[in-house]
Amino acid sequence: MLAGFLLHNFGFESTSTITTLADLGVTLLLFTIGLKLDVKTLLSKEIWAGATVHNLLSTYSLPYYF
């Protein structure tokens, strides 16, 4: 991401090749995170509570932004 900000500051324009490489990079990053993720950790009460609170706050605050 830092490279993208720096390139934009130097005046580089986005092309289809750069967009494709960026999409590939995000896909590989998410795949790597998925490989290291422990499913048992996701089933803990703290994770479910935090995710539920986050989703509720995001859902109820969304109409105030639009």
Side-chain angles (χ1 to χ4, degrees), residues 16-29:
S16 63
T17 303
I18 292 175
T19 303
T20 302
L21 288 174
D23 291 340
L24 180 63
V26 170
T27 303
L28 289 174
L29 174 68

Side-chain angles (χ1 to χ4, degrees), residues 10-61:
F10 287 118
F12 284 94
E13 297 283 332
S14 179
T15 63
S16 63
T17 303
I18 292 175
T19 303
T20 302
L21 288 174
D23 291 340
L24 180 63
V26 170
T27 303
L28 289 174
L29 174 68
L30 291 174
F31 179 73
T32 304
I33 291 171
L35 287 177
K36 297 178 185 231
L37 191 64
D38 184 19
V39 178
K40 290 181 183 178
T41 306
L42 292 176
L43 297 176
S44 69
K45 292 178 184 179
E46 293 84 11
I47 301 295
W48 279 97
T52 302
V53 169
H54 173 78
N55 283 325
L56 289 174
L57 289 176
S58 298
T59 301
Y60 290 125
S61 65

